[in-house]
Amino acid sequence: MTEKETSIAYLGPEGTYCNEAALVFASKLGMPDAALVPCSSFTEVFECVDRGKCTYGVVATENALEGPVTATLDNFAFNSAAQILGVHVLDIHHCLIAHPAAKRAEIRTITSHVQALGQCRRFIAREFPAATTAPSSSTAESVMAAMADPTCAAIATRFAAEMHGAVVVDDDIEDMLGNQTSFALIGRAGTVSPLEGASYKTSIALFMRQDRAGTLNMILSEFAYAGVNITMIQSRPTKQALGDYMFFLDLEGRADEPALQTALNCLRLKLREVKVLGSYPVD
């Protein structure tokens, strides 16, 4: 691969939902032939982008059933300087997948990424109450495990089953209809989003100087005063001490717009750190 080639890192192996999202982003970028680089974890995706090994990366940020993907949030907050350049929401339809010679009655283990296992919890309890669940690094990796053991079934995409020569035992096994996962396209710090959209969103991480009563109210007040709409807020432990938290927020608008810029600058005077994770277009 030459330095001039566009490459996109994603959570592999081939056949994962992240792989599907990477293909969508490659199309949006107008680069359907971009090199897709599979990684073993979201942390590795961030490292590939931060070190310049790949032009872009694709990471899952939130699922409609299981909530935020904590590995992604922690990398944004503590480990990486990567910027969010765009988002895409993917409809998630899980399948139960097994070896062609497998017998349903003999399935003893069900494996998948922890998020997928959680999204199919009721199905597993109803259809395979005696089976044990085993987390894998990705949904596609679980299909490979199922192909190596007829007593093991995987939860993954139909695309992954076809890719690895497995069979679909059941489809649409997610516990709730309308299951979706949001994926982010990330680039190195300072990268301007190459995507276009009707409007913009800005994601930030806020770190407090100390845990004080009224801090969250103060944060909300700054944005309310500036007329900036908050579309998402959630907290995460700072990993420094029990009860020590920081906040993630999604805001309408670009970080360089006067109103949003004023609110962020005011918060920089009152908080330990205001980290802009990216301003990016949304459909």
Side-chain angles (χ1 to χ4, degrees), residues 231-252:
T231 61
M232 184 279 294
I233 182 169
Q234 58 192 13
S235 62
R236 283 288 295 156
T238 63
K239 303 182 184 297
Q240 300 298 315
L242 184 64
D244 191 14
Y245 284 81
M246 46 80 62
F247 297 101
F248 288 97
L249 286 82
D250 285 345
L251 313 163
E252 288 184 353

Side-chain angles (χ1 to χ4, degrees), residues 63-65 90-92 94 119 174 176-181:
N63 175 260
L65 303 185
L90 200 66
D91 291 330
I92 303 298
H94 292 306
Q119 293 159 23
E174 57 269 19
M176 292 181 62
L177 296 176
N179 187 15
Q180 296 179 310
T181 295

Side-chain angles (χ1 to χ4, degrees), residues 128-150:
F128 298 91
T132 58
T133 57
S136 63
S137 61
S138 71
T139 53
E141 189 73 36
S142 71
V143 176
M144 297 168 66
M147 286 299 292
D149 181 2

Side-chain angles (χ1 to χ4, degrees), residues 114-135:
V114 64
Q115 288 270 338
L117 290 173
Q119 293 159 23
C120 302
R121 193 175 291 116
R122 290 204 297 268
F123 169 84
I124 296 171
R126 182 181 68 249
E127 301 293 331
F128 298 91
T132 58
T133 57

Side-chain angles (χ1 to χ4, degrees), residues 1 17 23 49 52 55 85 130 133 144 157-158 189 216 218 226 232 276:
M1 185 186 305
Y17 292 105
L23 290 169
V49 172
T55 317
L85 306 177
T133 57
M144 297 168 66
T157 65
R158 182 176 292 275
L216 180 56
M218 177 273 293
M232 184 279 294
V276 177

Side-chain angles (χ1 to χ4, degrees), residues 98-116:
H99 189 284
K103 296 181 180 179
R104 187 184 184 97
E106 297 177 358
I107 292 175
R108 300 287 180 265
T109 304
I110 297 178
T111 181
S112 191
H113 189 275
V114 64
Q115 288 270 338

Side-chain angles (χ1 to χ4, degrees), residues 196-271:
E196 296 181 354
S199 58
Y200 271 75
K201 181 181 289 186
T202 296
S203 295
I204 62 173
L206 303 178
F207 299 83
M208 298 177 289
R209 296 184 189 276
Q210 56 185 321
D211 186 12
R212 296 180 57 182
T215 298
L216 180 56
N217 183 63
M218 177 273 293
I219 292 170
L220 299 179
S221 296
E222 289 292 351
F223 292 115
Y225 182 78
V228 174
N229 187 38
I230 300 172
T231 61
M232 184 279 294
I233 182 169
Q234 58 192 13
S235 62
R236 283 288 295 156
T238 63
K239 303 182 184 297
Q240 300 298 315
L242 184 64
D244 191 14
Y245 284 81
M246 46 80 62
F247 297 101
F248 288 97
L249 286 82
D250 285 345
L251 313 163
E252 288 184 353
R254 300 174 62 124
D256 58 0
E257 293 175 354
L260 184 46
Q261 195 172 57
T262 296
L264 293 177
N265 286 337
C266 288
L267 287 174
R268 288 186 176 100
L269 298 174
K270 301 175 180 179
L271 300 176

